[in-house]
Amino acid sequence: YPIQRSAAFAQRSGELTIGPPKIAFDAGTGNFFDAPQRIERVGVPVTVRVKPLPPPVPFNAVLGNYAIDARLDRRTVKTGDAVTLRVNAGGVGNVNDLRIDLPPIAGVRTLQPAIRDQQRLTNGQLSGTRSWEWILIAESPGEHRVPPIALHFFDPDTETYQSARTPALSFSATGAAKAPEPTIQAVDAPPKPS
């Protein structure tokens, strides 16, 4: 009877051993006057052989099979306003391993992304989606281009490296550039009388 299902991810190649599972539970006869008996069971360890990824390994490549898409919540803003860039990557594999870096965009200030994960284990296969949301603030007028974002992965079914890529996106900002916010200057304190 399945009690728990877990996904384990190898951190190195070679022969690795997953330790024996342990379970403890109380069992009784159902009689009100009998104290339950503590029972412990120990399973058997499992040894797996982990193959290394074939070289050359692309930068930031992960194991799995993924698709990726991106969209902006709007295409026109006033200078100084923000748009939201949402990128979703999903497929079979451990989505916690997915990393995406948004390159700098000229004339745009980019805030740190909010990241959300959804995972599911179905028939012994882990899959899910990782979503990133960046706030992009247009600091100058004109057309601003979000370059394509690439995700590289090794598909264990085909034993090949593959890439998924978003299309380039753009939005335009209208109106004069806003002056930077003044910083608070320290006021020199008068000298103390002696």
Side-chain angles (χ1 to χ4, degrees), residues 131-160:
S131 300
W132 295 260
E133 279 191 4
W134 282 274
I135 302 297
L136 308 178
I137 301 171
E139 295 188 322
S140 63
E143 191 81 6
H144 300 288
R145 184 175 181 272
V146 179
I149 298 168
L151 183 63
H152 307 289
F153 54 90
F154 180 80
D155 185 344
D157 292 335
T158 62
E159 295 193 359
T160 59

PDB file of all heavy atoms in Angstrom, residues 131-160:
ATOM      1  N   SER A 131       6.856  30.531 -12.615  1.00  0.00           N
ATOM      2  CA  SER A 131       6.493  31.817 -13.211  1.00  0.00           C
ATOM      3  C   SER A 131       7.312  32.930 -12.580  1.00  0.00           C
ATOM      4  O   SER A 131       7.498  32.957 -11.365  1.00  0.00           O
ATOM      5  CB  SER A 131       5.002  32.113 -12.984  1.00  0.00           C
ATOM      6  OG  SER A 131       4.206  31.109 -13.574  1.00  0.00           O
ATOM      7  N   TRP A 132       7.789  33.839 -13.423  1.00  0.00           N
ATOM      8  CA  TRP A 132       8.513  35.035 -12.985  1.00  0.00           C
ATOM      9  C   TRP A 132       7.689  36.245 -13.393  1.00  0.00           C
ATOM     10  O   TRP A 132       7.153  36.293 -14.507  1.00  0.00           O
ATOM     11  CB  TRP A 132       9.864  35.149 -13.674  1.00  0.00           C
ATOM     12  CG  TRP A 132      10.871  34.098 -13.368  1.00  0.00           C
ATOM     13  CD1 TRP A 132      11.918  34.184 -12.491  1.00  0.00           C
ATOM     14  CD2 TRP A 132      11.002  32.811 -13.978  1.00  0.00           C
ATOM     15  NE1 TRP A 132      12.666  33.038 -12.519  1.00  0.00           N
ATOM     16  CE2 TRP A 132      12.120  32.167 -13.424  1.00  0.00           C
ATOM     17  CE3 TRP A 132      10.244  32.126 -14.950  1.00  0.00           C
ATOM     18  CZ2 TRP A 132      12.520  30.894 -13.789  1.00  0.00           C
ATOM     19  CZ3 TRP A 132      10.634  30.849 -15.322  1.00  0.00           C
ATOM     20  CH2 TRP A 132      11.760  30.245 -14.741  1.00  0.00           C
ATOM     21  N   GLU A 133       7.599  37.246 -12.518  1.00  0.00           N
ATOM     22  CA  GLU A 133       6.951  38.512 -12.859  1.00  0.00           C
ATOM     23  C   GLU A 133       7.904  39.650 -12.536  1.00  0.00           C
ATOM     24  O   GLU A 133       8.273  39.849 -11.374  1.00  0.00           O
ATOM     25  CB  GLU A 133       5.638  38.701 -12.091  1.00  0.00           C
ATOM     26  CG  GLU A 133       4.492  37.963 -12.704  1.00  0.00           C
ATOM     27  CD  GLU A 133       3.148  38.354 -12.096  1.00  0.00           C
ATOM     28  OE1 GLU A 133       3.100  39.261 -11.228  1.00  0.00           O
ATOM     29  OE2 GLU A 133       2.142  37.748 -12.490  1.00  0.00           O
ATOM     30  N   TRP A 134       8.308  40.372 -13.575  1.00  0.00           N
ATOM     31  CA  TRP A 134       9.179  41.524 -13.416  1.00  0.00           C
ATOM     32  C   TRP A 134       8.362  42.798 -13.603  1.00  0.00           C
ATOM     33  O   TRP A 134       7.521  42.872 -14.518  1.00  0.00           O
ATOM     34  CB  TRP A 134      10.281  41.534 -14.474  1.00  0.00           C
ATOM     35  CG  TRP A 134      11.430  40.622 -14.242  1.00  0.00           C
ATOM     36  CD1 TRP A 134      12.552  40.882 -13.509  1.00  0.00           C
ATOM     37  CD2 TRP A 134      11.616  39.317 -14.786  1.00  0.00           C
ATOM     38  NE1 TRP A 134      13.415  39.813 -13.567  1.00  0.00           N
ATOM     39  CE2 TRP A 134      12.869  38.837 -14.343  1.00  0.00           C
ATOM     40  CE3 TRP A 134      10.832  38.499 -15.621  1.00  0.00           C
ATOM     41  CZ2 TRP A 134      13.349  37.590 -14.690  1.00  0.00           C
ATOM     42  CZ3 TRP A 134      11.322  37.252 -15.968  1.00  0.00           C
ATOM     43  CH2 TRP A 134      12.563  36.811 -15.501  1.00  0.00           C
ATOM     44  N   ILE A 135       8.616  43.801 -12.792  1.00  0.00           N
ATOM     45  CA  ILE A 135       8.071  45.135 -12.999  1.00  0.00           C
ATOM     46  C   ILE A 135       9.128  45.919 -13.771  1.00  0.00           C
ATOM     47  O   ILE A 135      10.263  46.053 -13.311  1.00  0.00           O
ATOM     48  CB  ILE A 135       7.750  45.838 -11.661  1.00  0.00           C
ATOM     49  CG1 ILE A 135       6.769  45.008 -10.843  1.00  0.00           C
ATOM     50  CG2 ILE A 135       7.228  47.246 -11.902  1.00  0.00           C
ATOM     51  CD1 ILE A 135       5.408  44.821 -11.475  1.00  0.00           C
ATOM     52  N   LEU A 136       8.749  46.410 -14.956  1.00  0.00           N
ATOM     53  CA  LEU A 136       9.657  47.185 -15.803  1.00  0.00           C
ATOM     54  C   LEU A 136       9.186  48.632 -15.815  1.00  0.00           C
ATOM     55  O   LEU A 136       8.043  48.903 -16.211  1.00  0.00           O
ATOM     56  CB  LEU A 136       9.662  46.634 -17.236  1.00  0.00           C
ATOM     57  CG  LEU A 136       9.908  45.128 -17.395  1.00  0.00           C
ATOM     58  CD1 LEU A 136       9.833  44.738 -18.862  1.00  0.00           C
ATOM     59  CD2 LEU A 136      11.250  44.733 -16.802  1.00  0.00           C
ATOM     60  N   ILE A 137      10.016  49.548 -15.369  1.00  0.00           N
ATOM     61  CA  ILE A 137       9.648  50.964 -15.286  1.00  0.00           C
ATOM     62  C   ILE A 137      10.372  51.724 -16.399  1.00  0.00           C
ATOM     63  O   ILE A 137      11.606  51.733 -16.446  1.00  0.00           O
ATOM     64  CB  ILE A 137      10.007  51.553 -13.911  1.00  0.00           C
ATOM     65  CG1 ILE A 137       9.276  50.765 -12.814  1.00  0.00           C
ATOM     66  CG2 ILE A 137       9.661  53.033 -13.845  1.00  0.00           C
ATOM     67  CD1 ILE A 137       9.712  51.096 -11.417  1.00  0.00           C
ATOM     68  N   ALA A 138       9.593  52.326 -17.293  1.00  0.00           N
ATOM     69  CA  ALA A 138      10.162  53.086 -18.418  1.00  0.00           C
ATOM     70  C   ALA A 138      10.678  54.418 -17.891  1.00  0.00           C
ATOM     71  O   ALA A 138       9.903  55.265 -17.466  1.00  0.00           O
ATOM     72  CB  ALA A 138       9.105  53.300 -19.489  1.00  0.00           C
ATOM     73  N   GLU A 139      11.994  54.617 -17.923  1.00  0.00           N
ATOM     74  CA  GLU A 139      12.578  55.861 -17.424  1.00  0.00           C
ATOM     75  C   GLU A 139      12.854  56.857 -18.538  1.00  0.00           C
ATOM     76  O   GLU A 139      13.251  57.975 -18.273  1.00  0.00           O
ATOM     77  CB  GLU A 139      13.855  55.555 -16.636  1.00  0.00           C
ATOM     78  CG  GLU A 139      13.560  54.749 -15.374  1.00  0.00           C
ATOM     79  CD  GLU A 139      14.763  54.592 -14.478  1.00  0.00           C
ATOM     80  OE1 GLU A 139      15.878  54.420 -15.009  1.00  0.00           O
ATOM     81  OE2 GLU A 139      14.591  54.639 -13.245  1.00  0.00           O
ATOM     82  N   SER A 140      12.676  56.440 -19.773  1.00  0.00           N
ATOM     83  CA  SER A 140      12.849  57.355 -20.905  1.00  0.00           C
ATOM     84  C   SER A 140      11.789  57.026 -21.951  1.00  0.00           C
ATOM     85  O   SER A 140      11.320  55.889 -22.028  1.00  0.00           O
ATOM     86  CB  SER A 140      14.261  57.229 -21.492  1.00  0.00           C
ATOM     87  OG  SER A 140      14.458  55.933 -21.995  1.00  0.00           O
ATOM     88  N   PRO A 141      11.399  58.018 -22.756  1.00  0.00           N
ATOM     89  CA  PRO A 141      10.386  57.751 -23.778  1.00  0.00           C
ATOM     90  C   PRO A 141      10.971  56.942 -24.930  1.00  0.00           C
ATOM     91  O   PRO A 141      12.185  56.835 -25.093  1.00  0.00           O
ATOM     92  CB  PRO A 141       9.979  59.150 -24.231  1.00  0.00           C
ATOM     93  CG  PRO A 141      11.162  60.014 -23.935  1.00  0.00           C
ATOM     94  CD  PRO A 141      11.825  59.417 -22.741  1.00  0.00           C
ATOM     95  N   GLY A 142      10.070  56.359 -25.725  1.00  0.00           N
ATOM     96  CA  GLY A 142      10.505  55.611 -26.903  1.00  0.00           C
ATOM     97  C   GLY A 142      10.103  54.160 -26.830  1.00  0.00           C
ATOM     98  O   GLY A 142       9.377  53.729 -25.937  1.00  0.00           O
ATOM     99  N   GLU A 143      10.605  53.410 -27.813  1.00  0.00           N
ATOM    100  CA  GLU A 143      10.318  51.971 -27.893  1.00  0.00           C
ATOM    101  C   GLU A 143      11.348  51.208 -27.067  1.00  0.00           C
ATOM    102  O   GLU A 143      12.548  51.435 -27.204  1.00  0.00           O
ATOM    103  CB  GLU A 143      10.403  51.537 -29.358  1.00  0.00           C
ATOM    104  CG  GLU A 143       9.886  50.149 -29.622  1.00  0.00           C
ATOM    105  CD  GLU A 143       8.371  50.084 -29.736  1.00  0.00           C
ATOM    106  OE1 GLU A 143       7.713  51.139 -29.725  1.00  0.00           O
ATOM    107  OE2 GLU A 143       7.858  48.967 -29.819  1.00  0.00           O
ATOM    108  N   HIS A 144      10.875  50.321 -26.198  1.00  0.00           N
ATOM    109  CA  HIS A 144      11.750  49.521 -25.340  1.00  0.00           C
ATOM    110  C   HIS A 144      11.574  48.055 -25.712  1.00  0.00           C
ATOM    111  O   HIS A 144      10.450  47.553 -25.751  1.00  0.00           O
ATOM    112  CB  HIS A 144      11.438  49.751 -23.866  1.00  0.00           C
ATOM    113  CG  HIS A 144      11.606  51.171 -23.444  1.00  0.00           C
ATOM    114  ND1 HIS A 144      12.841  51.759 -23.308  1.00  0.00           N
ATOM    115  CD2 HIS A 144      10.689  52.135 -23.149  1.00  0.00           C
ATOM    116  CE1 HIS A 144      12.679  53.020 -22.932  1.00  0.00           C
ATOM    117  NE2 HIS A 144      11.380  53.273 -22.835  1.00  0.00           N
ATOM    118  N   ARG A 145      12.691  47.372 -25.958  1.00  0.00           N
ATOM    119  CA  ARG A 145      12.649  45.995 -26.452  1.00  0.00           C
ATOM    120  C   ARG A 145      13.103  45.025 -25.369  1.00  0.00           C
ATOM    121  O   ARG A 145      14.189  45.169 -24.810  1.00  0.00           O
ATOM    122  CB  ARG A 145      13.545  45.871 -27.684  1.00  0.00           C
ATOM    123  CG  ARG A 145      13.517  44.524 -28.350  1.00  0.00           C
ATOM    124  CD  ARG A 145      14.353  44.548 -29.628  1.00  0.00           C
ATOM    125  NE  ARG A 145      14.332  43.264 -30.298  1.00  0.00           N
ATOM    126  CZ  ARG A 145      15.167  42.273 -30.058  1.00  0.00           C
ATOM    127  NH1 ARG A 145      16.107  42.425 -29.131  1.00  0.00           N
ATOM    128  NH2 ARG A 145      15.079  41.134 -30.717  1.00  0.00           N
ATOM    129  N   VAL A 146      12.265  44.035 -25.102  1.00  0.00           N
ATOM    130  CA  VAL A 146      12.621  42.945 -24.194  1.00  0.00           C
ATOM    131  C   VAL A 146      13.181  41.828 -25.072  1.00  0.00           C
ATOM    132  O   VAL A 146      12.468  41.288 -25.911  1.00  0.00           O
ATOM    133  CB  VAL A 146      11.392  42.441 -23.407  1.00  0.00           C
ATOM    134  CG1 VAL A 146      11.783  41.286 -22.495  1.00  0.00           C
ATOM    135  CG2 VAL A 146      10.761  43.574 -22.616  1.00  0.00           C
ATOM    136  N   PRO A 147      14.460  41.485 -24.923  1.00  0.00           N
ATOM    137  CA  PRO A 147      15.062  40.483 -25.805  1.00  0.00           C
ATOM    138  C   PRO A 147      14.479  39.092 -25.555  1.00  0.00           C
ATOM    139  O   PRO A 147      13.873  38.844 -24.508  1.00  0.00           O
ATOM    140  CB  PRO A 147      16.544  40.537 -25.444  1.00  0.00           C
ATOM    141  CG  PRO A 147      16.574  41.073 -24.068  1.00  0.00           C
ATOM    142  CD  PRO A 147      15.393  41.992 -23.917  1.00  0.00           C
ATOM    143  N   PRO A 148      14.666  38.174 -26.504  1.00  0.00           N
ATOM    144  CA  PRO A 148      14.218  36.786 -26.280  1.00  0.00           C
ATOM    145  C   PRO A 148      14.904  36.199 -25.050  1.00  0.00           C
ATOM    146  O   PRO A 148      16.051  36.511 -24.747  1.00  0.00           O
ATOM    147  CB  PRO A 148      14.655  36.057 -27.556  1.00  0.00           C
ATOM    148  CG  PRO A 148      14.816  37.130 -28.577  1.00  0.00           C
ATOM    149  CD  PRO A 148      15.250  38.355 -27.834  1.00  0.00           C
ATOM    150  N   ILE A 149      14.182  35.338 -24.358  1.00  0.00           N
ATOM    151  CA  ILE A 149      14.703  34.663 -23.169  1.00  0.00           C
ATOM    152  C   ILE A 149      14.807  33.182 -23.501  1.00  0.00           C
ATOM    153  O   ILE A 149      13.837  32.568 -23.955  1.00  0.00           O
ATOM    154  CB  ILE A 149      13.788  34.894 -21.956  1.00  0.00           C
ATOM    155  CG1 ILE A 149      13.734  36.384 -21.631  1.00  0.00           C
ATOM    156  CG2 ILE A 149      14.249  34.089 -20.757  1.00  0.00           C
ATOM    157  CD1 ILE A 149      12.658  36.765 -20.651  1.00  0.00           C
ATOM    158  N   ALA A 150      15.991  32.611 -23.292  1.00  0.00           N
ATOM    159  CA  ALA A 150      16.233  31.215 -23.658  1.00  0.00           C
ATOM    160  C   ALA A 150      16.328  30.334 -22.418  1.00  0.00           C
ATOM    161  O   ALA A 150      16.793  30.767 -21.362  1.00  0.00           O
ATOM    162  CB  ALA A 150      17.517  31.094 -24.474  1.00  0.00           C
ATOM    163  N   LEU A 151      15.869  29.110 -22.573  1.00  0.00           N
ATOM    164  CA  LEU A 151      15.946  28.100 -21.525  1.00  0.00           C
ATOM    165  C   LEU A 151      16.562  26.850 -22.165  1.00  0.00           C
ATOM    166  O   LEU A 151      16.046  26.343 -23.162  1.00  0.00           O
ATOM    167  CB  LEU A 151      14.546  27.808 -20.983  1.00  0.00           C
ATOM    168  CG  LEU A 151      14.414  26.826 -19.844  1.00  0.00           C
ATOM    169  CD1 LEU A 151      15.145  27.343 -18.604  1.00  0.00           C
ATOM    170  CD2 LEU A 151      12.951  26.607 -19.510  1.00  0.00           C
ATOM    171  N   HIS A 152      17.684  26.367 -21.614  1.00  0.00           N
ATOM    172  CA  HIS A 152      18.375  25.202 -22.161  1.00  0.00           C
ATOM    173  C   HIS A 152      18.156  24.010 -21.226  1.00  0.00           C
ATOM    174  O   HIS A 152      18.235  24.159 -20.009  1.00  0.00           O
ATOM    175  CB  HIS A 152      19.874  25.475 -22.296  1.00  0.00           C
ATOM    176  CG  HIS A 152      20.175  26.728 -23.064  1.00  0.00           C
ATOM    177  ND1 HIS A 152      19.974  26.837 -24.418  1.00  0.00           N
ATOM    178  CD2 HIS A 152      20.618  27.945 -22.658  1.00  0.00           C
ATOM    179  CE1 HIS A 152      20.299  28.038 -24.822  1.00  0.00           C
ATOM    180  NE2 HIS A 152      20.692  28.742 -23.767  1.00  0.00           N
ATOM    181  N   PHE A 153      17.909  22.847 -21.826  1.00  0.00           N
ATOM    182  CA  PHE A 153      17.654  21.663 -21.011  1.00  0.00           C
ATOM    183  C   PHE A 153      18.122  20.400 -21.733  1.00  0.00           C
ATOM    184  O   PHE A 153      18.262  20.374 -22.957  1.00  0.00           O
ATOM    185  CB  PHE A 153      16.177  21.551 -20.639  1.00  0.00           C
ATOM    186  CG  PHE A 153      15.225  21.589 -21.811  1.00  0.00           C
ATOM    187  CD1 PHE A 153      14.850  20.423 -22.461  1.00  0.00           C
ATOM    188  CD2 PHE A 153      14.717  22.793 -22.264  1.00  0.00           C
ATOM    189  CE1 PHE A 153      13.975  20.458 -23.540  1.00  0.00           C
ATOM    190  CE2 PHE A 153      13.836  22.841 -23.342  1.00  0.00           C
ATOM    191  CZ  PHE A 153      13.468  21.654 -23.979  1.00  0.00           C
ATOM    192  N   PHE A 154      18.383  19.367 -20.924  1.00  0.00           N
ATOM    193  CA  PHE A 154      18.737  18.052 -21.445  1.00  0.00           C
ATOM    194  C   PHE A 154      17.518  17.169 -21.282  1.00  0.00           C
ATOM    195  O   PHE A 154      17.053  16.927 -20.174  1.00  0.00           O
ATOM    196  CB  PHE A 154      19.925  17.459 -20.684  1.00  0.00           C
ATOM    197  CG  PHE A 154      20.337  16.104 -21.183  1.00  0.00           C
ATOM    198  CD1 PHE A 154      21.109  15.975 -22.323  1.00  0.00           C
ATOM    199  CD2 PHE A 154      19.946  14.957 -20.507  1.00  0.00           C
ATOM    200  CE1 PHE A 154      21.493  14.731 -22.792  1.00  0.00           C
ATOM    201  CE2 PHE A 154      20.319  13.710 -20.961  1.00  0.00           C
ATOM    202  CZ  PHE A 154      21.095  13.590 -22.109  1.00  0.00           C
ATOM    203  N   ASP A 155      16.972  16.702 -22.405  1.00  0.00           N
ATOM    204  CA  ASP A 155      15.784  15.855 -22.391  1.00  0.00           C
ATOM    205  C   ASP A 155      16.230  14.405 -22.207  1.00  0.00           C
ATOM    206  O   ASP A 155      16.869  13.839 -23.103  1.00  0.00           O
ATOM    207  CB  ASP A 155      15.021  16.026 -23.707  1.00  0.00           C
ATOM    208  CG  ASP A 155      13.705  15.262 -23.709  1.00  0.00           C
ATOM    209  OD1 ASP A 155      13.518  14.381 -22.843  1.00  0.00           O
ATOM    210  OD2 ASP A 155      12.871  15.537 -24.582  1.00  0.00           O
ATOM    211  N   PRO A 156      15.916  13.765 -21.066  1.00  0.00           N
ATOM    212  CA  PRO A 156      16.380  12.390 -20.848  1.00  0.00           C
ATOM    213  C   PRO A 156      15.708  11.376 -21.776  1.00  0.00           C
ATOM    214  O   PRO A 156      16.248  10.300 -22.005  1.00  0.00           O
ATOM    215  CB  PRO A 156      16.040  12.125 -19.377  1.00  0.00           C
ATOM    216  CG  PRO A 156      15.000  13.117 -19.029  1.00  0.00           C
ATOM    217  CD  PRO A 156      15.192  14.303 -19.915  1.00  0.00           C
ATOM    218  N   ASP A 157      14.545  11.712 -22.331  1.00  0.00           N
ATOM    219  CA  ASP A 157      13.876  10.778 -23.242  1.00  0.00           C
ATOM    220  C   ASP A 157      14.610  10.680 -24.577  1.00  0.00           C
ATOM    221  O   ASP A 157      14.770   9.593 -25.131  1.00  0.00           O
ATOM    222  CB  ASP A 157      12.423  11.206 -23.475  1.00  0.00           C
ATOM    223  CG  ASP A 157      11.572  11.052 -22.227  1.00  0.00           C
ATOM    224  OD1 ASP A 157      11.928  10.219 -21.358  1.00  0.00           O
ATOM    225  OD2 ASP A 157      10.562  11.769 -22.094  1.00  0.00           O
ATOM    226  N   THR A 158      15.047  11.821 -25.107  1.00  0.00           N
ATOM    227  CA  THR A 158      15.756  11.822 -26.391  1.00  0.00           C
ATOM    228  C   THR A 158      17.278  11.837 -26.210  1.00  0.00           C
ATOM    229  O   THR A 158      18.012  11.657 -27.175  1.00  0.00           O
ATOM    230  CB  THR A 158      15.351  13.047 -27.229  1.00  0.00           C
ATOM    231  OG1 THR A 158      15.737  14.237 -26.525  1.00  0.00           O
ATOM    232  CG2 THR A 158      13.852  13.059 -27.492  1.00  0.00           C
ATOM    233  N   GLU A 159      17.729  12.065 -24.969  1.00  0.00           N
ATOM    234  CA  GLU A 159      19.151  12.181 -24.630  1.00  0.00           C
ATOM    235  C   GLU A 159      19.857  13.224 -25.491  1.00  0.00           C
ATOM    236  O   GLU A 159      20.962  13.023 -25.977  1.00  0.00           O
ATOM    237  CB  GLU A 159      19.850  10.810 -24.728  1.00  0.00           C
ATOM    238  CG  GLU A 159      19.318   9.827 -23.703  1.00  0.00           C
ATOM    239  CD  GLU A 159      20.172   8.573 -23.558  1.00  0.00           C
ATOM    240  OE1 GLU A 159      21.178   8.442 -24.276  1.00  0.00           O
ATOM    241  OE2 GLU A 159      19.813   7.742 -22.708  1.00  0.00           O
ATOM    242  N   THR A 160      19.182  14.380 -25.652  1.00  0.00           N
ATOM    243  CA  THR A 160      19.753  15.501 -26.414  1.00  0.00           C
ATOM    244  C   THR A 160      19.511  16.799 -25.658  1.00  0.00           C
ATOM    245  O   THR A 160      18.563  16.913 -24.879  1.00  0.00           O
ATOM    246  CB  THR A 160      19.103  15.627 -27.810  1.00  0.00           C
ATOM    247  OG1 THR A 160      17.692  15.819 -27.644  1.00  0.00           O
ATOM    248  CG2 THR A 160      19.369  14.397 -28.665  1.00  0.00           C
TER     249      THR A 160
END
